[in-house]
Every structure is written in structure tokens, then in C-alpha cells.
Amino acid sequence: MKYDYLIVGSGLFGSVIARELTQAGKSVKVIEKRSHIGGNVYCEDIEGINVHKYGAHIFHTNDVEVWEYVNKFVEFNRYTNSPVALSKGQMYNLPFNMNTFNKLWGVVTPDQALAKIDEQRSELRGKKPTNLEEQAISLVGRDIFETLIKEYTEKQWGRNCRDLPAFIIKRLPVRFTYDNNYFNDKFQGIPVGGYNPLIEALLEGIEYETEVDYFDEKNKWDSLARKVIYTGAVDRYFNYVHGKLDYRSLNFEHDILDSTNFQGNAVVNYIDKEYAFTRIIEHKHFEFGVQEKTVITKEYPKEFEEGDEYYYPVNDTVNNRIYSKYKKMAEQESKVLFGGRLAEYKYFDMHQVVRSALNTANKELGK
Ligand code: FAD
Ligand code: UDP
């Protein structure tokens, strides 16, 4: 055996576990089917701007150990995500906070906002929310659901809000202060110079190859390593024996504009369904850039089709049931570990992927 571990995928999961295993003296090889390392956090330098090629990535966490871990490899800036949302010609602050409530209802105090929401959530008559629509109404009432959630969510997921799991909307904070910070976490920022320096530092001194699809020569790769760590789509690994899992994919449309400042914010959400895209990202604002040009990206959600990249697992009841069968199969594979957003089929953010990779490495190393 040439290597102790073959790691399939150079995203955050693959890169963190590669670093941890190497650090412990194991021999590791990483293969990656894309033409670059980094998975979805990869950035490309365009006009001196770090363009988040696979969508806006803001690192945020409450996990001190994870924060300290990533800070060992790169410095983070003080960027705080405060998206705004355009709905029927009006701009609203996100997440749902006193600025949003004031703009929508003219209320000024937290008590007034709460009274408004209480009045609107009474339509549920105390019923425990069982889907995204009911969860949204229970959190912020029908007006906000109709103005800022329904159309965006149905574009993003291609499904009716009543057919989507409640947890998706619970990702967003609801707060009764005038605070537009999109996250509640203690730590937040963007690596200075974008995400590539983080991935490069994690993989420093580790053998890797890009433009290699594991499945093209699976037997060869398996024979080279004692164990495989797989971070691709779990249903693909098992040849879809229990059927295909649903994923949402995205098309990204990048444009270079002859403007210093296109939209005045890194993230502007477009709620109305008349726009086929969900948001426009203006990348320079992640790093307070003052370049002469600007690069923007429109994000068009779509159902995954053969040849697309996998981006979002659809964790509804039907898919979770199918996933639980794959999970059982994965647990029985003694030579293969499964990790990351695609292999664990979980709507993980970056910090959760780092945590999961560290835990997997520790378990593997008997720590
Ligand atoms: P990935 O980054 O998907 O890496 C998996 C890698 O495996 C890929 O490079 C893939 O090419 C490779 N691979 C797959 N199959 C094979 C194969 N057969 N052979 C070889 N290589 C293979 N998280 C946040 O914390 N904050 C955010 O603001 C945020 N924004 C996001 C915005 C968008 C649009 C998306 C899609 C995600 C966002 N995330 C965000 C989530 C974040 O991207 C993920 O949590 C994290 O990047 C997942 O890392 P991973 O290693 O599990 O997967
Ligand atoms: N969402 C919404 N309106 C918005 C922003 C988000 O309804 O303006 C909902 C939508 O269902 C989305 C979910 O909240 O899928 C989570 O949003 P987040 O910004 O966390 O999504 P991500 O960045 O992972 O795409």
C-alpha cells in the first residue's frame, strides 16, 4: 500500500482531514475531480478581486476550537454579513430584525413588533409548525413570509414552502434589536486574500492531483491506500442502489463591470419570482475592496441534472429516508469513511464541516 489514506475531494472536509492525518504521521494523497483545489470555497482572482466562484462564503462559528483552528492557517478580516433584500421595489434589512419590522409595519419598539407578530402567528392556533411555511409564520408572521420568504424560498428549492422542512428557515436569526448581522455567532469573517490561502495552507506538503475523478479508476485508487476518505455525493458512491437523492444545483453568472460600486453591499437578495436569480453578490465588498472595476455574480437555482455540481442536499422527509439507507451502507464499509456536505447529505456550513472533519480525524487516530 502506497498511502495510509486516499482522500477523495479537496473541499474543506478533505483538506482539514488531510492536514490532521498528515500531522499525525500518516501518508496521504488527495484527488480532486475539478481543475482546482478547495471545493466550493474556491476563489478566483479577477481584476484583483477574490471572486467566490461557487457563491458567497462567509465563515461564522460559535465553536472556539474551530475558530482557533482556521486562524492558525490564515488571518480573518472583520467582515460582518448584513444582506439586504429587494422585494416589490422596496429594500429590507436581513435577517428579520427591528429594521425589517420598522420598514414593513412602521413599528418602532420591540413590544410593538412582537405584538404584530403575535397577532399574525395566531392563524396557526398554537399548532406546532410541520413545514417551512408554518415555521416562518410562527417565527415572523404572514406579512414577512409573503414579502421576504415565500418567493425566494420557492425559487431556491424549486418546491412549495409547505413541502419543505421547517429547519431551513430556522437558520436565520429573528431578533428584536436594530442589528443587521446575519449570524448570531461569536466569530465571523473572511480570510484575508480569500479562501485559497486557507486551503493551500491546509494542503501544504501534501500530495494532491486535480482533474481526477475517483470513479474513473476506483479499483486502482482503492488498491493504493489502506483506507479511503470519500467526500463526494453518497448516492453516487453506492451506484444509486436505493435511488437518487435530490440535490439543488446553481448556475453562476459572473460579470466584470466598469463601475467601482454596483450595489453598495456584498449580498443583495432578489425575492420576487420575476427574477430567475435569488441573489447578486458583489465580491469586492467582502474585503472592503477599492479596485476600479467590480465583479458581480448572479445565482440561478436549478434542480440537479447529470453533469451539474452538487450544492444543496434537499433534506425533506422522502430524501432523508433514502439517505438513512445509504448511511447504513456507509457504516458497514470498513475501509471507507464518509464526510462533508455531500457524503453526509447535510446542509452543513463551513464551520460544521471543519468540526466534522476534526472529529472524524480524532476518532480515526484514536484520540
Ligand atoms: P465540497 O466543497 O463540495 O467539496 C467536495 C469536493 O469533492 C469537491 O471539490 C468535488 O469536486 C470533489 N469530488 C466529489 N466527487 C469526486 C470524485 N468522484 N472524484 C474526485 N473528487 C470529487 N458555508 C458557510 O459557512 N458560510 C457561507 O456563507 C456559505 N455559503 C454557501 C453558499 C453556497 C452557494 C453554497 C453551495 C454553500 C455555501 N456554504 C456556506 C457551505 C459550504 O460551501 C460547505 O459547508 C463546505 O464548503 C463543504 O465542504 P465539503 O468539503 O464538504 O464539500
Ligand atoms: N431565505 C428567504 N429569504 C431570504 C433569505 C433566505 O426566504 O431573503 C430562506 C430561504 O429558504 C433560504 C433559507 O432562508 O434557503 C436559508 O438562507 P441562507 O441565506 O442561510 O441560505 P444559503 O446561504 O445557504 O443559500
Side-chain angles (χ1 to χ4, degrees):
M1 291 277 172
K2 199 162 171 212
Y3 305 102
D4 292 319
Y5 293 93
L6 174 82
I7 299 180
V8 181
S10 65
L12 262 180
F13 191 96
S15 300
V16 167
I17 202 156
R19 165 63 35 215
E20 290 309 286
L21 295 171
T22 304
Q23 210 76 2
K26 308 291 181 192
S27 59
V28 167
K29 163 115 186 179
V30 179
I31 56 170
E32 168 56 57
K33 70 176 177 187
R34 296 186 195 172
S35 61
H36 58 76
I37 52 174
N40 288 340
V41 304
Y42 171 71
C43 298
E44 188 179 317
D45 180 333
I46 304 177
E47 300 289 340
I49 298 163
N50 294 310
V51 173
H52 297 201
K53 287 293 276 197
Y54 302 96
H57 278 78
I58 300 104
F59 201 98
H60 57 95
T61 185
N62 258 330
D63 187 330
V64 183
E65 201 185 317
V66 164
W67 183 243
E68 286 175 353
Y69 183 81
V70 291
N71 275 273
K72 281 197 302 196
F73 299 96
V74 279
E75 186 190 342
F76 279 73
N77 71 15
R78 58 152 190 87
Y79 177 82
T80 299
N81 199 31
S82 308
V84 286
L86 183 70
S87 174
K88 297 170 188 70
Q90 296 291 315
M91 275 295 201
Y92 297 88
N93 286 110
L94 293 174
F96 313 117
N97 73 82
M98 284 307 297
N99 288 304
T100 331
F101 308 142
N102 172 264
K103 174 96 183 207
L104 193 66
W105 297 313
V107 294
V108 172
T109 66
D111 280 350
Q112 289 166 349
L114 198 53
K116 195 83 190 163
I117 291 174
D118 269 346
E119 176 195 313
Q120 298 205 353
R121 61 160 72 109
S122 68
E123 73 169 87
L124 293 174
R125 292 188 196 86
K127 179 177 178 244
K128 194 171 170 284
T130 57
N131 58 50
L132 195 151
E133 174 165 333
E134 289 172 2
Q135 183 65 63
I137 290 169
S138 146
L139 285 172
V140 284
R142 181 161 286 281
D143 285 350
I144 290 185
F145 172 67
E146 304 278 353
T147 312
L148 293 168
I149 298 174
K150 184 174 165 38
E151 293 184 25
Y152 183 101
T153 298
E154 294 187 350
K155 281 194 287 188
Q156 169 73 3
W157 296 98
R159 288 156 173 77
N160 190 292
C161 288
R162 291 192 195 117
D163 299 327
L164 285 165
F167 83 87
I168 294 178
I169 201 67
K170 283 206 252 172
R171 285 168 61 85
L172 307 192
V174 177
R175 57 171 92 90
F176 293 86
T177 52
Y178 288 91
D179 177 359
N180 297 324
N181 183 348
Y182 202 55
F183 303 111
N184 279 331
D185 290 343
K186 247 193 281 183
F187 310 106
Q188 180 172 179
I190 305 273
V192 173
Y195 286 87
N196 297 2
L198 170 61
I199 298 292
E200 282 157 16
L202 286 166
L203 291 182
E204 199 187 324
I206 296 173
E207 202 182 310
Y208 68 80
E209 250 180 272
T210 54
E211 298 186 74
V212 175
D213 190 322
Y214 171 62
F215 294 109
D216 286 347
E217 289 183 286
K218 184 173 179 300
N219 290 340
K220 177 191 104 177
W221 292 114
D222 289 349
S223 72
L224 287 177
R226 205 168 49 77
K227 265 191 169 177
V228 172
I229 296 177
Y230 177 79
T231 74
V234 64
D235 54 346
R236 168 71 186 90
Y237 184 90
F238 293 110
N239 280 319
Y240 312 109
V241 286
H242 296 300
K244 286 194 175 183
L245 289 164
D246 288 329
Y247 295 87
R248 287 297 280 173
S249 192
L250 296 166
N251 277 335
F252 295 103
E253 196 179 281
H254 306 285
D255 281 306
I256 305 171
L257 305 180
D258 244 329
S259 154
T260 53
N261 187 4
F262 169 72
Q263 63 183 14
N265 206 31
V267 184
V268 178
N269 289 359
Y270 283 71
I271 306 295
D272 307 342
K273 61 173 183 286
E274 69 186 81
Y275 300 99
F277 51 88
T278 47
R279 49 192 174 192
I280 301 184
I281 308 304
E282 187 171 14
H283 302 268
K284 70 194 307 181
H285 297 308
F286 288 128
E287 298 183 64
F288 321 108
V290 291
Q291 296 86 350
E292 288 191 352
K293 297 198 178 185
T294 196
V295 182
I296 62 163
T297 302
K298 291 190 180 124
E299 231 173 274
Y300 295 87
K302 66 189 292 290
E303 200 65 29
F304 174 86
E305 290 168 84
E306 215 45 56
D308 286 344
E309 292 289 354
Y310 301 90
Y311 290 116
Y312 294 90
V314 181
N315 290 115
D316 60 11
T317 318
V318 175
N319 282 290
N320 283 345
R321 203 170 297 135
I322 299 174
Y323 170 64
S324 65
K325 297 185 188 162
Y326 286 121
K327 188 164 182 258
K328 261 197 201 113
M329 289 180 82
E331 282 160 3
Q332 279 154 18
E333 292 275 324
S334 58
K335 269 195 65 182
V336 189
L337 298 172
F338 294 77
R341 183 143 152 159
L342 305 176
E344 295 179 71
Y345 199 66
K346 278 208 184 78
Y347 192 179
F348 271 154
D349 274 336
M350 290 180 280
H351 59 288
Q352 294 162 313
V353 167
V354 173
R355 166 51 62 206
S356 171
L358 291 175
N359 288 350
T360 308
N362 285 342
K363 196 165 162 208
E364 190 59 16
L365 294 165
K367 284 193 195 164

